[in-house]
Amino acid sequence: MANLVYKRVSTDQQSTDRQNLVLAEAGIDDPVVFEEDPGTSSRLHPLQRPKFGELLTYARPGDTVHISEMFRLVRGTQHVLDVLDVLHAGRLALRIHDGAFSAMDLTARHPRTGELLSTVKFMVQTLAAAGELQRDLQRELTFDGLRAAEAKGNKGGRRPAVPADKTADVRTAYMEGRSIAALARDHGVSRGAIRTAVADLLPEYTAADPDAPAPELPVTLDMPGKVADFLRAAELEPAERAALDQGVTVRRGQGYTLRVRAVPAVHGALLARCQPRDGAAAIPAQRKARREYENRVSALGQ
């Protein structure tokens, strides 16, 4: 019987490092790995994804499909049920090694009717709906934040870079003593875009600037598992997603913590995205986990 491992990331800025760690800790014998191309969206139905299709073609009755967590394979409730039906038809087992679904036998069927057990179906629908609620709340908060920023005259999105045909002029002006702020105004871009254009010229100028802020150094914090589970289903910036994906899982009895190494600004951004965990809809354990992480992040500034 073969062990078939499936891996996927949603953007090409993410890595499978965290998935690799979880699967390696599971001790899977002779895994046959099927990994989607980077950036394969979770919105694409699992049965339409190229590598999952190859996995199903390769599989034989009695094989086991392994994934690090359920949301690497599916997102919505219907996706879960569709995949379980296909696995059942092919007589394939499913093993999830981390997250809310890891303690459940999702392939359990009624011995006489052959249908998915009602208790399993209920839990699948409940947990999948909770994941969708988390993402919807995060999108609403992001939208409200963008509206608030626009009301103050700020615009969201990535600032434009310095055009290629203007880079030489920017570099020359900078070397002649023009400030970064002035160059940003002249070219209608952010100061960060100007710094990028003159990156290799910065050391000889910033070294003489006693007021230049010291770069932030990465620090390691333990993130409660309930916070990590929430963030994995949220829309994150590339730096935030990378920090989460590269975190190290540390088992704590029935739960776990995720040891995340990142600069304080990224820890602060991850904490801000956990705001729904403080709301009335959150259960006490979720609010407690969020407060624990908040205390650890707050301590960075002391």
Side-chain angles (χ1 to χ4, degrees):
M1 304 301 179
N3 289 308
L4 314 180
V5 171
Y6 178 77
K7 295 187 286 186
R8 181 191 64 83
V9 291
S10 299
T11 72
D12 55 11
Q13 284 81 37
Q14 298 174 14
S15 74
T16 58
D17 290 349
R18 196 195 63 79
Q19 297 177 59
N20 295 340
L21 177 64
V22 171
L23 294 166
E25 290 178 342
I28 302 169
D29 294 330
D30 300 323
V32 181
V33 179
F34 297 84
E35 182 175 340
E36 299 286 0
D37 290 338
T40 301
S41 173
S42 60
R43 296 185 180 90
L44 183 63
H45 197 292
L47 301 181
Q48 296 175 345
R49 296 178 195 155
K51 290 299 180 181
F52 191 63
E54 289 183 18
L55 181 151
L56 294 176
T57 301
Y58 180 93
R60 296 293 181 268
D63 290 351
T64 301
V65 178
H66 297 265
I67 51 178
S68 61
E69 58 180 336
M70 193 61 165
F71 293 135
R72 291 300 97 202
L73 177 58
V74 296
R75 287 287 185 178
T77 306
Q78 192 57 50
H79 286 191
V80 180
L81 299 176
D82 289 346
V83 168
L84 292 180
D85 283 343
V86 170
L87 295 180
H88 174 65
R91 287 184 287 167
L92 305 174
L94 177 63
R95 182 72 175 90
I96 304 167
H97 295 278
D98 198 11
F101 291 91
S102 59
M104 298 172 58
D105 180 7
L106 297 179
T107 55
R109 300 271 169 165
H110 193 281
R112 288 182 292 277
T113 66
E115 296 180 353
L116 195 66
L117 285 179
S118 57
T119 52
V120 173
K121 189 173 183 179
F122 172 77
M123 289 301 298
V124 166
Q125 291 172 330
T126 301
L127 292 173
E132 291 178 355
L133 175 61
Q134 289 176 353
R135 293 191 300 278
D136 289 343
L137 288 173
Q138 187 61 53
R139 281 194 292 268
E140 290 172 5
L141 290 171
T142 300
F143 179 74
D144 290 343
L146 290 173
R147 288 184 61 198
E150 289 174 358
K152 295 180 179 180
N154 299 325
K155 293 184 178 180
R158 187 182 295 274
R159 296 288 185 88
V162 177
D165 59 345
K166 298 294 184 181
T167 300
D169 293 340
V170 168
R171 292 169 63 84
T172 299
Y174 180 76
M175 293 184 69
E176 290 175 351
R178 190 77 170 156
S179 72
I180 288 178
L183 287 169
R185 290 194 299 270
D186 293 345
H187 294 273
V189 298
S190 67
R191 298 183 185 186
I194 298 297
R195 291 191 183 94
T196 299
V198 300
D200 59 322
L201 305 176
L202 287 173
E204 66 179 278
Y205 289 90
T206 57
D209 184 1
D211 298 324
E216 286 191 317
L217 298 177
V219 294
T220 301
L221 291 182
D222 281 354
M223 176 185 293
K226 287 183 172 58
V227 172
D229 289 341
F230 173 77
L231 289 173
R232 288 189 183 112
E235 296 294 333
L236 304 179
E237 293 296 326
E240 300 163 9
R241 179 65 66 183
L244 204 65
D245 286 346
Q246 293 168 14
V248 178
T249 299
V250 180
R251 297 293 174 182
R252 304 287 189 192
Q254 296 298 317
Y256 76 100
T257 60
L258 189 67
R259 193 152 289 165
V260 178
R261 183 170 177 79
V263 297
V266 171
H267 282 297
L270 290 171
L271 174 64
R273 295 189 186 279
C274 297
Q275 185 175 348
R277 299 297 84 185
D278 273 348
I283 62 176
Q286 294 169 334
R287 292 197 293 269
K288 179 182 178 182
R290 202 267 187 191
R291 286 196 299 271
E292 289 178 1
Y293 185 48
E294 181 178 23
N295 291 338
R296 292 165 189 168
V297 174
S298 298
L300 296 178
Q302 297 177 0

